[in-house]
Amino acid sequence: MIARRRETWAAYGFLSPWIVGFLVFLAGPMVASLVLSFTDYDVLTSTDLVGGENYRMLLADPKVRTSLANTMFYTVLHVPLTMAVALGLAMLLARAGRRSAGFFRTIFYLPTITPKVAVGVLFLLLFNGQVGLINEVLGWVGITGPDWTSDGSWIKPGIVLMSAWSLGSTVIIYLAALQNVPRDLYEAAEMDGASPWARFRAVTVPMISGALFFTLIINTISSLQTFDEVYTAFFGSANQQTYGNDAALFYVIYLFQQAFQFLHMGYASALAWLLFLIIMLITLVQVGLSRRFVYYESE
Protein backbone atom coordinates (compact mmCIF):
# COMPACT_ATOMS: atom_id res chain seq x y z
CA MET A 1 0.00 0.00 0.00
CA ILE A 2 2.82 2.42 0.89
CA ALA A 3 4.66 1.57 -2.33
CA ARG A 4 1.50 2.19 -4.36
CA ARG A 5 1.01 5.59 -2.71
CA ARG A 6 4.60 6.49 -3.50
CA GLU A 7 4.06 5.54 -7.13
CA THR A 8 0.88 7.62 -7.22
CA TRP A 9 2.60 10.69 -5.80
CA ALA A 10 5.52 10.15 -8.17
CA ALA A 11 3.07 10.06 -11.09
CA TYR A 12 1.46 13.29 -9.90
CA GLY A 13 4.94 14.80 -9.64
CA PHE A 14 5.73 13.98 -13.25
CA LEU A 15 2.30 15.22 -14.34
CA SER A 16 2.50 18.43 -12.34
CA PRO A 17 4.15 20.56 -15.08
CA TRP A 18 1.31 19.69 -17.45
CA ILE A 19 -1.35 20.18 -14.76
CA VAL A 20 0.04 23.60 -13.81
CA GLY A 21 0.34 24.60 -17.46
CA PHE A 22 -3.22 23.46 -18.16
CA LEU A 23 -4.66 25.37 -15.20
CA VAL A 24 -2.63 28.56 -15.75
CA PHE A 25 -2.57 28.80 -19.56
CA LEU A 26 -5.77 27.04 -20.65
CA ALA A 27 -8.43 26.37 -18.02
CA GLY A 28 -7.83 29.63 -16.14
CA PRO A 29 -8.03 31.90 -19.21
CA MET A 30 -11.10 30.03 -20.44
CA VAL A 31 -12.93 30.61 -17.16
CA ALA A 32 -11.81 34.26 -17.15
CA SER A 33 -13.05 34.79 -20.72
CA LEU A 34 -16.39 33.18 -19.83
CA VAL A 35 -16.79 35.63 -16.96
CA LEU A 36 -15.71 38.56 -19.15
CA SER A 37 -18.27 37.60 -21.80
CA PHE A 38 -20.99 38.77 -19.39
CA THR A 39 -19.31 42.14 -18.78
CA ASP A 40 -18.56 45.41 -20.54
CA TYR A 41 -14.77 45.40 -20.18
CA ASP A 42 -12.39 47.62 -22.15
CA VAL A 43 -9.15 47.33 -20.08
CA LEU A 44 -9.03 51.09 -19.45
CA THR A 45 -12.16 51.64 -17.37
CA SER A 46 -14.05 49.77 -14.68
CA THR A 47 -15.81 46.52 -15.53
CA ASP A 48 -19.61 46.58 -15.65
CA LEU A 49 -21.76 43.44 -15.51
CA VAL A 50 -24.16 43.38 -18.50
CA GLY A 51 -25.54 39.84 -18.31
CA GLY A 52 -26.29 38.34 -21.71
CA GLU A 53 -26.13 41.65 -23.60
CA ASN A 54 -22.92 40.68 -25.45
CA TYR A 55 -24.54 37.50 -26.74
CA ARG A 56 -27.64 39.38 -27.86
CA MET A 57 -25.39 41.86 -29.66
CA LEU A 58 -23.46 39.20 -31.55
CA LEU A 59 -26.69 37.55 -32.71
CA ALA A 60 -27.75 40.88 -34.25
CA ASP A 61 -24.29 41.90 -35.52
CA PRO A 62 -24.13 41.66 -39.36
CA LYS A 63 -20.32 41.47 -39.20
CA VAL A 64 -20.62 38.26 -37.18
CA ARG A 65 -22.78 36.70 -39.88
CA THR A 66 -20.44 37.90 -42.61
CA SER A 67 -17.29 36.64 -40.90
CA LEU A 68 -18.92 33.30 -40.05
CA ALA A 69 -20.09 32.86 -43.65
CA ASN A 70 -16.59 33.65 -44.96
CA THR A 71 -15.01 31.24 -42.51
CA MET A 72 -17.45 28.43 -43.31
CA PHE A 73 -17.02 28.99 -47.06
CA TYR A 74 -13.26 28.80 -46.68
CA THR A 75 -13.45 25.67 -44.50
CA VAL A 76 -15.77 23.83 -46.90
CA LEU A 77 -13.37 24.52 -49.78
CA HIS A 78 -10.07 24.19 -47.95
CA VAL A 79 -10.50 20.96 -45.99
CA PRO A 80 -11.58 18.62 -48.85
CA LEU A 81 -9.04 20.18 -51.25
CA THR A 82 -6.20 19.80 -48.75
CA MET A 83 -7.12 16.19 -47.97
CA ALA A 84 -7.49 15.21 -51.63
CA VAL A 85 -4.24 16.83 -52.81
CA ALA A 86 -2.32 15.55 -49.77
CA LEU A 87 -3.57 12.00 -50.35
CA GLY A 88 -2.57 12.14 -54.01
CA LEU A 89 0.92 13.37 -53.13
CA ALA A 90 1.25 10.75 -50.39
CA MET A 91 0.34 7.98 -52.82
CA LEU A 92 2.99 9.23 -55.23
CA LEU A 93 5.56 9.30 -52.41
CA ALA A 94 4.60 5.76 -51.39
CA ARG A 95 5.58 4.57 -54.87
CA ALA A 96 8.88 6.48 -54.92
CA GLY A 97 12.24 5.05 -53.93
CA ARG A 98 13.53 5.44 -50.40
CA ARG A 99 16.01 8.22 -51.19
CA SER A 100 13.71 10.26 -53.39
CA ALA A 101 10.81 9.78 -50.93
CA GLY A 102 12.92 11.19 -48.10
CA PHE A 103 13.88 14.20 -50.20
CA PHE A 104 10.30 14.98 -51.24
CA ARG A 105 9.00 14.46 -47.70
CA THR A 106 11.32 17.23 -46.61
CA ILE A 107 10.32 19.46 -49.52
CA PHE A 108 6.61 19.01 -48.82
CA TYR A 109 6.99 19.58 -45.10
CA LEU A 110 9.19 22.71 -45.22
CA PRO A 111 6.29 25.11 -46.01
CA THR A 112 4.56 23.92 -42.83
CA ILE A 113 7.26 25.55 -40.70
CA THR A 114 7.32 28.74 -42.79
CA PRO A 115 6.17 31.75 -40.70
CA LYS A 116 2.54 32.56 -41.38
CA VAL A 117 3.30 36.25 -41.80
CA ALA A 118 5.75 35.42 -44.58
CA VAL A 119 3.08 33.34 -46.31
CA GLY A 120 0.68 36.30 -46.16
CA VAL A 121 3.24 38.60 -47.77
CA LEU A 122 4.04 35.95 -50.37
CA PHE A 123 0.33 35.74 -51.19
CA LEU A 124 0.28 39.45 -52.08
CA LEU A 125 3.30 39.01 -54.35
CA LEU A 126 2.06 35.91 -56.15
CA PHE A 127 -1.63 36.81 -56.48
CA ASN A 128 -1.34 40.49 -57.32
CA GLY A 129 -3.83 41.17 -60.11
CA GLN A 130 -1.44 43.31 -62.17
CA VAL A 131 2.09 42.03 -61.59
CA GLY A 132 1.58 38.75 -59.72
CA LEU A 133 3.31 35.56 -60.88
CA ILE A 134 0.07 33.54 -60.87
CA ASN A 135 -1.66 35.81 -63.39
CA GLU A 136 1.51 36.02 -65.47
CA VAL A 137 1.62 32.22 -65.76
CA LEU A 138 -2.08 32.13 -66.63
CA GLY A 139 -1.37 34.70 -69.34
CA TRP A 140 1.11 32.30 -70.99
CA VAL A 141 -1.83 30.01 -71.86
CA GLY A 142 -4.16 32.83 -72.86
CA ILE A 143 -6.10 33.14 -69.60
CA THR A 144 -6.70 36.56 -68.08
CA GLY A 145 -6.26 36.16 -64.35
CA PRO A 146 -8.68 37.78 -61.91
CA ASP A 147 -7.91 40.42 -59.31
CA TRP A 148 -7.27 37.91 -56.52
CA THR A 149 -6.63 40.51 -53.83
CA SER A 150 -9.35 43.06 -54.60
CA ASP A 151 -12.23 41.27 -56.34
CA GLY A 152 -14.55 40.07 -53.57
CA SER A 153 -15.65 36.99 -55.52
CA TRP A 154 -12.03 35.80 -55.92
CA ILE A 155 -10.53 36.68 -52.55
CA LYS A 156 -11.64 33.53 -50.71
CA PRO A 157 -10.72 31.11 -53.55
CA GLY A 158 -7.32 32.81 -53.63
CA ILE A 159 -6.93 32.31 -49.88
CA VAL A 160 -7.85 28.64 -50.31
CA LEU A 161 -5.12 28.24 -52.93
CA MET A 162 -2.68 30.05 -50.65
CA SER A 163 -3.49 27.71 -47.77
CA ALA A 164 -2.62 24.68 -49.92
CA TRP A 165 0.97 25.82 -49.47
CA SER A 166 1.08 24.23 -46.01
CA LEU A 167 -0.42 20.77 -46.56
CA GLY A 168 2.89 19.02 -45.89
CA SER A 169 1.97 17.73 -42.44
CA THR A 170 -1.17 16.09 -43.87
CA VAL A 171 0.94 14.48 -46.60
CA ILE A 172 3.29 12.97 -43.99
CA ILE A 173 0.37 11.57 -41.96
CA TYR A 174 -1.16 9.94 -45.05
CA LEU A 175 2.19 8.56 -46.15
CA ALA A 176 2.69 6.89 -42.77
CA ALA A 177 -0.83 5.42 -42.97
CA LEU A 178 -0.29 4.13 -46.51
CA GLN A 179 2.96 2.44 -45.54
CA ASN A 180 1.10 0.51 -42.84
CA VAL A 181 -1.45 -0.99 -45.25
CA PRO A 182 -0.64 -4.74 -45.61
CA ARG A 183 0.66 -5.54 -49.10
CA ASP A 184 -1.13 -8.89 -49.16
CA LEU A 185 -4.49 -7.10 -49.26
CA TYR A 186 -3.53 -5.44 -52.54
CA GLU A 187 -2.19 -8.72 -53.90
CA ALA A 188 -5.40 -10.55 -53.00
CA ALA A 189 -7.56 -7.82 -54.58
CA GLU A 190 -5.41 -7.85 -57.74
CA MET A 191 -5.73 -11.64 -58.01
CA ASP A 192 -9.51 -11.23 -57.78
CA GLY A 193 -9.36 -8.91 -60.78
CA ALA A 194 -9.95 -5.63 -58.94
CA SER A 195 -9.06 -2.51 -60.92
CA PRO A 196 -6.74 0.18 -59.45
CA TRP A 197 -9.79 2.31 -58.58
CA ALA A 198 -11.50 -0.67 -56.93
CA ARG A 199 -8.34 -1.41 -54.91
CA PHE A 200 -8.16 2.21 -53.83
CA ARG A 201 -11.83 2.32 -52.82
CA ALA A 202 -12.03 -1.11 -51.15
CA VAL A 203 -8.55 -1.44 -49.64
CA THR A 204 -6.71 1.88 -49.37
CA VAL A 205 -9.51 4.13 -48.12
CA PRO A 206 -10.81 1.75 -45.40
CA MET A 207 -7.31 0.95 -44.16
CA ILE A 208 -6.31 4.62 -43.85
CA SER A 209 -9.75 5.86 -42.75
CA GLY A 210 -8.43 6.52 -39.24
CA ALA A 211 -5.81 8.92 -40.61
CA LEU A 212 -8.42 10.53 -42.88
CA PHE A 213 -10.72 11.06 -39.91
CA PHE A 214 -7.91 12.54 -37.80
CA THR A 215 -6.87 15.03 -40.48
CA LEU A 216 -10.52 15.91 -41.15
CA ILE A 217 -10.98 17.02 -37.55
CA ILE A 218 -7.60 18.77 -37.25
CA ASN A 219 -7.90 20.62 -40.57
CA THR A 220 -11.49 21.64 -39.83
CA ILE A 221 -10.57 23.11 -36.45
CA SER A 222 -7.54 24.85 -37.96
CA SER A 223 -9.59 26.29 -40.84
CA LEU A 224 -12.23 27.68 -38.49
CA GLN A 225 -9.46 29.52 -36.62
CA THR A 226 -7.63 30.91 -39.68
CA PHE A 227 -6.01 34.23 -38.85
CA ASP A 228 -2.31 34.90 -39.48
CA GLU A 229 -1.95 34.73 -43.26
CA VAL A 230 -5.25 36.45 -44.00
CA TYR A 231 -4.70 39.23 -41.48
CA THR A 232 -1.19 39.87 -42.85
CA ALA A 233 -2.39 39.95 -46.44
CA PHE A 234 -5.59 41.99 -46.08
CA PHE A 235 -5.59 43.81 -42.76
CA GLY A 236 -1.93 44.55 -42.05
CA SER A 237 -0.49 48.05 -42.11
CA ALA A 238 1.29 47.28 -45.39
CA ASN A 239 -1.97 46.64 -47.21
CA GLN A 240 -4.41 49.27 -46.02
CA GLN A 241 -6.17 49.59 -49.37
CA THR A 242 -8.10 46.34 -48.79
CA TYR A 243 -8.70 46.94 -45.10
CA GLY A 244 -12.44 47.38 -45.47
CA ASN A 245 -12.99 44.38 -47.76
CA ASP A 246 -15.49 42.15 -45.99
CA ALA A 247 -14.72 39.26 -48.34
CA ALA A 248 -11.54 38.64 -46.34
CA LEU A 249 -13.11 39.23 -42.94
CA PHE A 250 -12.75 35.89 -41.18
CA TYR A 251 -14.28 35.20 -37.78
CA VAL A 252 -11.06 35.21 -35.74
CA ILE A 253 -9.97 38.42 -37.47
CA TYR A 254 -13.21 40.11 -36.41
CA LEU A 255 -12.73 38.74 -32.89
CA PHE A 256 -9.19 40.17 -32.86
CA GLN A 257 -10.42 43.56 -34.05
CA GLN A 258 -13.05 43.75 -31.32
CA ALA A 259 -10.56 42.76 -28.63
CA PHE A 260 -7.38 44.63 -29.54
CA GLN A 261 -8.43 47.44 -31.87
CA PHE A 262 -11.70 48.51 -30.28
CA LEU A 263 -10.92 47.12 -26.78
CA HIS A 264 -14.32 45.44 -26.53
CA MET A 265 -12.93 42.63 -24.43
CA GLY A 266 -16.29 41.47 -23.11
CA TYR A 267 -17.80 41.29 -26.57
CA ALA A 268 -14.69 39.57 -27.94
CA SER A 269 -14.95 36.96 -25.17
CA ALA A 270 -18.54 36.26 -26.19
CA LEU A 271 -17.36 35.87 -29.80
CA ALA A 272 -14.68 33.45 -28.64
CA TRP A 273 -17.19 31.31 -26.77
CA LEU A 274 -19.50 31.23 -29.79
CA LEU A 275 -16.60 29.94 -31.89
CA PHE A 276 -15.80 27.35 -29.21
CA LEU A 277 -19.40 26.08 -29.30
CA ILE A 278 -19.42 25.95 -33.10
CA ILE A 279 -16.16 23.98 -33.22
CA MET A 280 -17.39 21.61 -30.50
CA LEU A 281 -20.67 21.00 -32.33
CA ILE A 282 -18.98 20.34 -35.68
CA THR A 283 -16.45 18.03 -34.03
CA LEU A 284 -19.20 16.06 -32.28
CA VAL A 285 -21.01 15.63 -35.61
CA GLN A 286 -17.80 14.41 -37.24
CA VAL A 287 -17.13 11.98 -34.40
CA GLY A 288 -20.68 10.66 -34.67
CA LEU A 289 -20.37 10.12 -38.42
CA SER A 290 -16.96 8.45 -37.99
CA ARG A 291 -18.61 5.44 -36.36
CA ARG A 292 -20.12 4.60 -39.72
CA PHE A 293 -17.15 5.32 -41.97
CA VAL A 294 -13.94 4.75 -40.00
CA TYR A 295 -12.49 1.23 -39.89
CA TYR A 296 -10.15 0.19 -37.09
CA GLU A 297 -8.14 -2.96 -37.74
CA SER A 298 -8.44 -4.02 -34.09
CA GLU A 299 -12.20 -4.33 -34.57
Side-chain angles (χ1 to χ4, degrees):
M1 183 64 70
I2 296 177
R4 182 173 297 179
R5 287 181 179 177
R6 288 179 178 175
E7 290 179 356
T8 302
W9 284 111
Y12 281 128
F14 284 113
L15 289 171
S16 59
W18 179 87
I19 294 174
V20 172
F22 173 77
L23 293 175
V24 174
F25 297 109
L26 185 61
M30 287 184 67
V31 173
S33 70
L34 180 60
V35 174
L36 288 176
S37 69
F38 295 101
T39 66
D40 180 13
Y41 176 56
D42 63 2
V43 181
L44 303 177
T45 60
S46 60
T47 303
D48 297 323
L49 186 65
V50 295
E53 183 61 27
N54 288 325
Y55 292 96
R56 286 190 289 270
M57 286 175 57
L58 67 85
L59 291 177
D61 190 346
K63 291 283 189 178
V64 172
R65 293 191 292 271
T66 299
S67 60
L68 267 179
N70 291 340
T71 304
M72 292 298 179
F73 181 88
Y74 167 80
T75 302
V76 170
L77 286 182
H78 167 69
V79 175
L81 176 64
T82 296
M83 294 178 64
V85 174
L87 181 57
L89 293 174
M91 293 181 70
L92 291 176
L93 283 178
R95 294 173 176 267
R98 181 173 299 179
R99 291 186 178 180
S100 58
F103 171 76
F104 283 108
R105 277 201 307 268
T106 304
I107 294 298
F108 289 146
Y109 189 75
L110 279 177
T112 304
I113 60 177
T114 303
K116 302 292 187 180
V117 173
V119 175
V121 174
L122 184 63
F123 172 82
L124 294 178
L125 297 176
L126 292 177
F127 287 85
N128 185 283
Q130 284 71 44
V131 296
L133 180 61
I134 301 298
N135 281 1
E136 183 176 345
V137 173
L138 291 175
W140 295 346
V141 293
I143 299 176
T144 302
D147 292 326
W148 300 93
T149 59
S150 57
D151 187 342
S153 60
W154 283 100
I155 284 177
K156 287 187 288 293
I159 295 172
V160 171
L161 293 177
M162 173 187 67
S163 63
W165 169 269
S166 57
L167 52 75
S169 57
T170 306
V171 173
I172 300 303
I173 292 172
Y174 289 164
L175 178 61
L178 289 169
Q179 290 175 339
N180 286 327
V181 178
R183 297 295 99 187
D184 54 352
L185 294 179
Y186 290 114
E187 295 171 0
E190 190 172 1
M191 291 178 63
D192 289 339
S195 64
W197 168 248
R199 293 197 298 271
F200 171 77
R201 182 174 53 85
V203 177
T204 303
V205 172
M207 294 303 295
I208 67 169
S209 57
L212 293 172
F213 171 60
F214 172 75
T215 55
L216 173 65
I217 289 183
I218 295 301
N219 286 330
T220 300
I221 294 174
S222 176
S223 298
L224 292 171
Q225 299 180 85
T226 298
F227 174 78
D228 305 74
E229 305 100 315
V230 182
Y231 186 85
T232 301
F234 292 97
F235 296 92
S237 58
N239 197 31
Q240 293 291 343
Q241 69 269 20
T242 58
Y243 189 88
N245 200 325
D246 283 349
L249 183 64
F250 282 26
Y251 190 85
V252 176
I253 292 177
Y254 185 58
L255 190 158
F256 175 86
Q257 290 176 340
Q258 290 295 325
F260 299 105
Q261 289 181 232
F262 310 133
L263 297 181
H264 299 159
M265 293 293 181
Y267 188 54
S269 297
L271 290 170
W273 274 96
L274 175 62
L275 179 61
F276 173 78
L277 293 176
I278 291 173
I279 291 175
M280 183 175 66
L281 178 61
I282 292 175
T283 303
L284 289 175
V285 172
Q286 291 174 334
V287 171
L289 293 175
S290 73
R291 297 171 183 171
R292 299 178 56 185
F293 301 106
V294 178
Y295 166 77
Y296 295 102
E297 192 171 359
S298 59
E299 298 176 353

